Structures are given as C-alpha cells and as structure tokens.
Amino acid sequence: VTDLSVPPERAFALSLDIGAHERSMAATDERAVAGTTAGMIGLGETVTWRARHFGIVWRMTSRITALEAPHRFVDEQVRGPFARFHHEHRFEPSAGGTRMVDTITFRAPLGPLGRLAEVLALARYMPKLIADRNASLAAELRAGSDGDQGAASSPSAS
C-alpha cells in the first residue's frame, strides 16, 4: 500500500509508463527489450523485461490483461521465470489523494524446490521489490508536482 497526495489519474498513468518503470527498477537494471518498450502500455499489449535478480539475468514477458482507467490494471506473466505471476494494481481515491494497492500472486516453478524458494527468499524479496518501486514512483510524482500536490508518504506494507 502506498499513499500519494496526487489524483488517481496521475498515479495510474505513471504506473503504466514504461520509462517510469525502468527508472523505478534501476537497482535491478530492468529494461524493456521487446513488445511495448516506450511510452504507455495498454490493454492486451506485452512487454519483455530484462533484469538482474539474485545475481542472475532474467527475462519476463508480461501482458496487460485488465485495464480500468484510472482505477485498476493487471499485468500477468506470459513467459518467464515464474510458474505463475499475477500483479493487480489498484488506485483508490483517498482523503489525501490516492491509495495505491498492489496485490501480487506468484508461484515459483520446480514444485517442492520452488515452494522452498518462495518461503526462503521470494516471500520477502517480492514485497520489498514492489515497495521500492512504489517509493520511486512516489518520488517521481513528488518531483513532478507543483507545490502541495506531491506524493505524501512512503509505501507501507500491508
């Protein structure tokens, strides 16, 4: 959960922007390498990301499978390291602007070995990755705002 003091439309638009995603994931050197590689991604479109996680370079292709501007969108892995990856982004109006809520459902491959990886690493890594991404988006919204319309707070886990 990330609270922002900008309207949902602004948070929603920035969250669909490929460049903003790349900037927010600079620590993993994540880059769009195929599909929609610049600008806003839309319903039914795919993007292939190349990034380094756990010291390994991964590729993951995601498709936007639901888009209800400015309230919600879903991206799902269609090819990549997970057996299943589903990420729902919700943008709820709040007294201060927008409450951005991310819900991720994933399953590692390799059966019991994958479940062990989920427990030992992914259960902590994935929420931190999303929190860091959202902190970057919040900072970008704050920097691009005029006066009191900046992002209000850092992400908080829920």
Side-chain angles (χ1 to χ4, degrees):
V1 173
T2 306
D3 290 310
L4 306 165
S5 63
V6 297
E9 295 80 9
R10 285 190 58 206
F12 183 86
L14 190 64
S15 293
L16 285 168
D17 183 88
I18 298 293
H21 182 88
E22 289 177 333
R23 291 186 297 277
S24 73
M25 301 297 286
T28 63
D29 195 30
E30 191 154 333
R31 295 285 172 247
V33 295
T36 302
T37 59
M40 301 274 290
I41 191 165
L43 182 62
E45 295 180 340
T46 63
V47 57
T48 299
W49 300 105
R50 180 192 177 281
R52 182 177 304 276
H53 298 277
F54 302 108
I56 301 168
V57 174
W58 303 90
R59 284 183 184 256
M60 180 169 133
T61 301
S62 296
R63 179 181 316 278
I64 303 299
T65 58
L67 193 146
E68 303 159 19
H71 308 291
R72 171 183 177 268
F73 72 92
V74 174
D75 63 89
E76 296 184 79
Q77 175 191 286
V78 294
R79 188 176 315 117
F82 291 95
R84 180 176 195 281
F85 186 90
H86 178 273
H87 183 180
E88 180 181 27
H89 309 250
R90 290 191 325 270
F91 303 84
E92 303 166 353
S94 67
T98 302
R99 173 158 284 179
M100 190 166 59
V101 180
D102 290 273
T103 304
I104 299 175
T105 306
F106 62 87
R107 187 176 337 119
L110 305 176
L113 287 177
R115 283 190 279 291
L116 185 61
E118 289 172 13
V119 169
L120 295 178
L122 293 173
R124 285 185 305 272
Y125 185 78
M126 296 304 293
K128 182 180 181 329
L129 188 70
I130 297 303
D132 290 349
R133 174 187 183 273
N134 288 351
S136 175
L137 293 176
E140 191 162 329
L141 285 165
R142 186 172 38 251
S145 68
D146 51 353
D148 59 326
Q149 291 205 340
S153 65
S154 299
S156 58
S158 65

